[in-house]
């Protein structure tokens, strides 16, 4: 009767469902009955416990809920209706539900297409199977054997196994290397009813190997550079394989030169950007590459001879330095390589031999052109030899009330506070109100640059550095902590890399060398280390150590050291600073680091860039955590602390600046100097303007210090050619060769033979 027909259809459907899911039909019937009888619904559980069925493949179990969720959407209603009918009588609802479950599209007999695009990729002990998606399929089965002829039903093939309900990609591991494996994939449709399995895909095969799954690295860094027609040698390392061999290639194949089997690359004849590729012989899917920038030939473009337009007294010497600039914008010290010539040996001679290259000796009054030639490129400078009265050629005023002047005859004369022998005259007294001669700085090896604070350091004409004065914390850089009343050797220039500038802070100092590098020595403060050595540490050094990250690629052209921070002007006219950042000293937009140095807090132990600052021509770092930069447009920009209005604003309106702010009212500056509590700018018309904590005349003629937030013009001063600011006093070199100073004079700072303060410039006596 109809009930028998309907029941037969139901059990036929269950049998098909069991086959698709690889379980026994009887087991599935019993499980379905147990499921619906326990709680009246098909939910895969009996009394709250999941129902599991054994797979006929012998590879585990499958949950009834997985079978039902995938295929019984329509059949569940049909079976429920049939079971609930009175005496299992034929019900119209049963017939309708059966038709829905078994005949409608998509239904039981809608079979998915066989998967296509099946690929088996071998590895070390594994194979990865991938295939393209099949419309209407919601799972896939993978069948494998170790002989060809794999089907989706159990066979007698060796190693036959099935992996059900998987997705692409599927990684089959724990395989035997060297054994071939064969695969087919089927798609299963279980969208509405209990689904059906597609025909098997085309069989694919792969063999795992210990030499597969390798990785390749090229030992040279990425990228590399080479001139046209030049060569580079590459080496490659293969891991994960017993075969270390690689094949070399270039890409693109045309216009990128060639590489031989040993890894020697020959660049093409024209500039290009290329890839050098190493590919594993054992596993061609494993490769590595390095970019090679093939550049035009590097040629020497120009030579600069420094110092420019030097002046010497008869019998004195001057070390000239030749700096070559190349077509790739790099520079190099060519002093020892150059051929040096004097156009007038009766006025001055110049050496070319090792140890004397570029060293000129003044013979008689007159002028001579000093030239340096390398590979057909020549640079020149003018040398004037004078026979008359020597003149002052350079000045320095320290934060501790003393000053020094370098004379054209090679002598150095100093005045002011002389504790610990900072004046270099062999004595140590509190106040020296007129200039005294610094001993051991002679006409045969005169000073060319000088800087002073608790110690004094000078660059000599032979490229060495000598220092004298206070040395408890290594300020002299000679490997000891013993103070010296006379100069000691800090840097002997044995490396033929002459010093060209020196700057002394409170207890540390730095030297700038011809190759654009900087070395520093000493300690930042007596009890606090704030990273002013710039070498990545917050400690101290009794001898010069190299500042990190300043190289010939962008060399330094000027340095300035303050109390806790130091700054360098670089060739690209930007500024880097290092050391304390407690009050925004570094100008990098923060006052929080990036490092922490001892008890002083935020600092940087290596140079960091000053923010938003370019086109800089000069820098100066002061003694109270402030610094200033002069730009090529004549404006002045300052950053750091503003306790004394050093930033050109009152402390009430600006306590500090973490990046540069412009000093108002100055647009024609040609030089700047920042002292301990004040700063000054030399203008193009020879006048000087100052701001900060400065000495002024009050009512009744009394002198008093006051905070001056905007620049004021120094009275009775014109034709100035250079300036230097110290601790409450300042000095200017005038065009007529005289030196005038103003401000605090308690230690003989003004050099006028008195210790009386002056709010207007007075002439230093005892200088030529």
């Amino acid at each position: 009767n109809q009930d028998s027909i309907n029941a037969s259809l139901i059990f036929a459907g269950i049998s098909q469902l069991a086959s698709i899911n690889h379980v026994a039909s009887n087991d599935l019937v019993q499980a379905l009955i147990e499921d619906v009888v326990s709680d009246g619904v098909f939910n895969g559980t009996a009394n709250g416990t999941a129902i599991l069925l054994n797979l006929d493949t012998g590879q585990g179990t499958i949950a009834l809920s997985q079978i039902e969720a995938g295929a019984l959407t329509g059949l569940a209603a049909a079976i429920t209706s049939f079971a609930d009918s009175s005496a299992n009588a034929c019900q119209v609802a049963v017939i309708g539900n059966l038709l829905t479950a078994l005949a409608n599209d998509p239904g039981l007999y809608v079979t998915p297409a066989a998967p296509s695009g099946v690929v088996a990729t071998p590895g070390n002990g594994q194979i990865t199977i991938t295939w393209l998606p099949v419309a209407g399929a919601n799972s896939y089965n993978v069948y494998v054997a170790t002989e060809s002829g794999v089907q989706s039903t159990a066979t007698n093939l060796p190693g036959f196994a099935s992996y059900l309900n998987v997705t692409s990609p599927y990684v089959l591991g724990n395989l035997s290397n060297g054994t071939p494996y064969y695969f087919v994939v089927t798609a299963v449709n279980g969208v509405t009813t209990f689904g059906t399995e597609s025909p098997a895909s085309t069989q694919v095969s792969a063999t795992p190997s210990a030499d597969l799954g390798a990785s390749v690295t090229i030992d040279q860094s990425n990228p590399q550079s080479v001139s046209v027609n030049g060569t580079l040698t590459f080496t490659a390392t293969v891991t994960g394989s017993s075969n270390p061999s690689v094949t070399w290639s270039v890409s693109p194949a045309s216009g990128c030169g060639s590489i031989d089997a040993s890894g020697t690359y020959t660049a093409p004849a024209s500039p290009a950007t290329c890839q050098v590729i190493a590919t594993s012989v054992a596993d061609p899917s494993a490769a590595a590459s390095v970019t090679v920038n093939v550049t035009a030939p590097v040629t020497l473009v120009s030579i600069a001879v420094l110092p420019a337009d030097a002046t010497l007294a008869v019998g004195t010497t001057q070390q000239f330095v030749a700096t070559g600039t190349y077509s790739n914008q790099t520079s190099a010290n060519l002093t020892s390589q150059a051929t040096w010539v004097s156009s007038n040996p009766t006025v001055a001679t110049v050496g070319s031999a090792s140890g004397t290259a570029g060293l000129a000796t003044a013979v008689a009054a007159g002028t001579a052109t000093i030239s340096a030639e390398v590979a057909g490129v020549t640079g020149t400078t003018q040398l004037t030899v004078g026979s008359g009265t020597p003149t002052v050629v350079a000045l320095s005023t320290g934060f501790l009330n003393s000053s020094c002047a370098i004379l054209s005859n090679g002598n150095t004369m100093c005045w002011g506070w002389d504790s610990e022998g900072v004046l270099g005259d062999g004595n140590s007294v509190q106040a020296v109100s007129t200039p005294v001669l610094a001993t051991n700085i002679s006409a045969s090896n005169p000073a060319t640059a000088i800087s002073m604070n608790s110690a004094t350091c000078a660059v000599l004409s032979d490229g060495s550095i000598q220092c004298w004065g206070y040395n408890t914390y290594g300020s002299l850089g000679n490997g000891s902590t013993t103070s010296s009343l006379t100069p000691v050797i800090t840097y002997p220039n044995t490396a033929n890399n002459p010093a060209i500038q020196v700057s002394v802070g409170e207890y540390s100092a730095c030297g700038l060398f011809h190759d654009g590098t900087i070395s520093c020595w000493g300690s930042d403060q007596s009890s606090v280390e704030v990273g002013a050595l710039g070498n990545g540490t917050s400690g101290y050094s009794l001898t010069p150590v190299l500042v990190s990250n300043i190289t010939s690629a962008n060399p330094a052209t000027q340095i300035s050291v303050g109390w806790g921070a130091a700054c360098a002007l670089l060739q690209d006219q930007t500024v880097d600073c290092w050391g304390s950042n407690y009050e925004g000293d570094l100008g990098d937009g923060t006052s929080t680091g990036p490092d922490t140095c001892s008890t002083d807090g935020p600092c940087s132990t290596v140079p960091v860039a000053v923010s938003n600052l370019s086109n800089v021509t000069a820098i100066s770092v002061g003694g109270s955590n402030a610094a200033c930069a002069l730009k090529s447009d004549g404006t002045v920009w300052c950053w750091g602390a503003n306790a004394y209005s050093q930033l050109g604003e009152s402390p009430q309106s600006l306590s500090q600046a973490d990046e540069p702010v412009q000093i108002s009212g100055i647009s024609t500056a040609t030089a700047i100097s920042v002292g301990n509590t004040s700063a000054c700018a030399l203008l193009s018309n020879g006048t000087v303007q100052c701001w900060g904590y400065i000495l002024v005349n009050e009512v009744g003629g009394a002198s008093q210090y006051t905070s001056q937030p905007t620049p004021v013009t120094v009275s009775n001063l014109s034709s100035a050619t250079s300036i230097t600011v110290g601790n409450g006093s300042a000095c200017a070199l005038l065009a007529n060769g005289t030196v005038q100073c103003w401000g605090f004079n308690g230690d003989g700072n003004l050099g006028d033979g008195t210790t009386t303060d002056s709010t207007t410039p007075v002439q230093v006596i005892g200088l030529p």
Side-chain angles (χ1 to χ4, degrees):
N1 60 23
Q2 189 62 51
D3 284 341
S4 300
I5 295 172
N6 292 341
S8 297
L9 290 172
I10 290 172
F11 289 119
I14 293 173
S15 178
Q16 178 71 5
L17 181 62
S19 175
I20 292 172
N21 287 279
H22 300 279
V23 298
S25 298
N26 291 341
D27 290 347
L28 182 55
V29 171
Q30 293 296 327
L32 290 169
I33 293 172
E34 181 182 5
D35 185 5
V36 74
V37 168
S38 67
D39 51 17
V41 294
F42 286 95
N43 56 11
T45 64
N47 300 317
T49 302
I51 301 173
L52 302 177
L53 293 88
N54 292 322
L55 294 170
D56 59 16
T57 61
Q59 295 182 341
T61 61
I62 184 171
L64 178 61
S65 60
Q66 182 177 340
I67 298 174
E68 291 173 343
L72 288 180
T73 305
L75 186 58
I79 296 175
T80 302
S81 177
F82 181 84
D84 289 344
S85 63
S86 176
N88 292 333
C90 182
Q91 298 279 321
V92 175
V94 173
I95 298 173
N97 284 330
L98 286 172
L99 291 174
T100 299
L102 304 177
N104 287 357
D105 185 17
L108 175 63
Y109 301 112
V110 177
T111 303
S116 61
V118 181
V119 176
T121 303
N124 184 4
Q126 67 179 33
I127 295 175
T128 301
I129 313 298
T130 59
W131 57 89
L132 298 176
V134 176
N138 71 341
S139 67
Y140 301 87
N141 299 330
V142 174
Y143 301 90
V144 60
T146 54
E147 286 188 7
S148 182
V150 181
Q151 302 176 21
S152 59
T153 57
T155 65
N156 293 323
L157 292 177
F160 179 84
S162 59
Y163 302 90
L164 310 178
N165 194 27
V166 299
T167 57
S168 175
Y170 182 69
V171 179
L172 187 59
N174 298 318
L175 303 181
S176 298
N177 288 329
T179 299
Y181 290 82
Y182 301 86
F183 302 88
V184 295
V185 182
T186 63
V188 178
N189 171 14
V191 176
T192 55
T193 64
F194 42 81
T196 187
E197 188 173 20
S198 75
S201 68
T202 301
Q203 180 179 276
V204 295
S205 178
T207 302
S209 171
D211 285 330
L212 298 175
S215 62
V216 180
T217 57
I218 295 178
D219 299 341
Q220 284 67 37
S221 60
N222 189 17
Q224 292 280 304
S225 295
V226 64
S227 297
V228 295
N229 297 317
T231 60
L232 292 171
T233 300
F234 292 93
T235 55
T237 301
V238 179
T239 56
S241 172
S242 59
N243 185 349
S245 301
V246 297
T247 57
W248 293 96
S249 60
V250 295
S251 179
S254 175
C256 272
S258 61
I259 188 167
D260 63 20
S262 68
T264 299
Y265 172 73
T266 302
S270 300
T273 299
C274 305
Q275 299 289 322
V276 167
I277 304 167
T279 303
S280 168
V281 172
D283 184 0
S285 67
S289 65
V290 168
T291 298
V292 177
N293 296 313
V294 182
T295 61
V298 177
T299 57
L300 180 62
V301 176
S302 63
I303 296 176
V305 179
L306 296 175
D309 302 325
T311 300
L312 290 179
V314 173
T316 63
T317 61
Q318 173 66 58
Q319 176 65 55
F320 288 100
V321 175
T323 301
T325 300
Y326 291 85
S327 56
N328 62 354
Q329 306 305 311
T330 61
S331 60
N333 184 348
L334 302 179
T335 303
S336 60
Q337 304 175 35
T339 299
W340 293 87
V341 175
S342 169
S343 66
N344 193 346
T346 61
V347 171
T349 60
V350 62
S352 276
S354 175
T356 64
L359 183 64
T361 301
V363 177
T367 60
T369 299
I370 304 299
S371 62
E373 185 269 331
V374 175
V377 179
T378 302
T380 63
T381 188
Q382 291 298 116
L383 173 60
T384 300
V385 178
S387 59
T389 302
T391 59
V392 177
V393 296
L395 284 176
S396 176
T397 297
F399 303 150
L400 300 177
N401 303 330
S402 52
S403 300
C404 284
I406 298 176
L407 308 184
S408 60
N409 65 359
N411 290 333
T412 297
M413 303 189 74
C414 305
W415 63 96
W417 182 79
D418 194 26
S419 179
E420 303 291 339
V422 71
L423 302 187
D425 63 340
N427 297 307
S428 179
V429 296
Q430 184 61 35
V432 178
S433 60
T434 57
V436 293
L437 186 67
T439 59
N440 295 353
I441 305 294
S442 64
S444 62
N445 192 18
T448 60
I450 197 165
S451 179
M452 62 191 320
N453 272 304
S454 60
T456 302
C457 292
V459 176
L460 306 187
S461 64
D462 64 359
S464 66
I465 297 175
Q466 291 189 13
C467 299
W468 58 93
Y470 186 66
N471 195 35
T472 300
Y473 303 107
S475 306
L476 304 187
N478 67 333
S480 78
T481 56
T482 303
S483 300
S484 178
L485 301 180
T486 56
V488 297
I489 295 175
T490 301
Y491 172 74
N493 191 25
T494 55
N496 197 25
N497 185 25
I500 58 177
Q501 187 196 347
V502 67
S503 181
V504 183
E506 184 182 15
Y507 298 118
S508 63
C510 297
L512 170 63
F513 301 95
H514 178 264
D515 63 358
T517 61
I518 297 171
S519 289
C520 300
W521 58 92
S523 173
D524 308 311
Q525 292 184 13
S526 58
S527 60
V528 180
E529 319 302 339
V530 291
L533 299 183
N535 68 334
T537 73
S538 60
Y540 65 92
S541 177
L542 300 181
T543 56
V545 293
L546 189 67
V547 173
S548 303
N549 304 332
I550 294 180
T551 66
S552 60
N554 189 19
T557 59
Q558 184 187 345
I559 55 171
S560 184
V561 183
W563 282 48
C567 295
L569 174 60
L570 305 182
Q571 188 178 63
D572 64 1
Q573 295 189 309
T574 62
V575 178
D576 279 4
C577 297
W578 59 95
S580 172
N581 199 25
Y582 185 72
E583 296 183 275
D585 313 44
L586 304 184
D588 65 344
T590 76
S591 57
T592 57
D595 303 316
T596 299
C597 295
S598 189
T599 58
D600 199 60
C603 70
S604 178
T605 60
V606 297
V608 295
V610 177
S611 300
N612 304 318
L613 193 63
S614 59
N615 301 317
V616 177
T617 58
I619 56 173
S620 180
V621 181
S624 294
N625 302 327
C628 293
L630 170 64
K631 299 182 70 170
S632 58
D633 61 1
T635 60
V636 177
W637 298 72
C638 302
W639 62 93
N642 195 41
Y644 304 104
S645 300
Q646 308 100 302
L647 305 186
E649 294 190 39
S650 68
Q652 291 77 20
S653 63
L654 181 67
S655 62
Q656 68 181 58
D658 298 336
E659 57 185 15
V661 296
Q662 186 174 359
I663 302 299
S664 62
I666 296 180
S667 59
T668 61
T670 59
I672 55 170
S673 180
V674 183
N676 193 24
T677 60
S678 58
C680 295
L682 172 63
L683 307 186
S684 59
N685 62 2
T687 63
V688 176
Q689 290 193 347
C690 301
W691 61 96
Y693 195 60
I694 60 178
L695 191 69
V696 296
N697 273 327
E698 297 294 333
V699 177
S703 298
Q704 180 176 321
Y705 275 97
T706 184
S707 180
Q708 175 61 45
T710 56
V712 294
T713 300
V714 176
S715 303
N716 304 325
L717 187 67
S718 61
S719 303
T721 59
S722 68
I723 55 172
T724 179
V725 183
N727 183 22
S729 62
C731 296
L733 173 62
L734 307 186
N736 63 6
T738 63
V739 176
Q740 294 191 6
C741 302
W742 62 97
F744 175 70
N745 197 28
D747 294 318
N749 317 40
L750 306 188
D752 64 344
T754 76
T755 55
T756 303
D757 298 346
S758 178
T759 59
T760 57
V762 295
Q763 184 167 332
V764 177
I765 62 175
L767 293 177

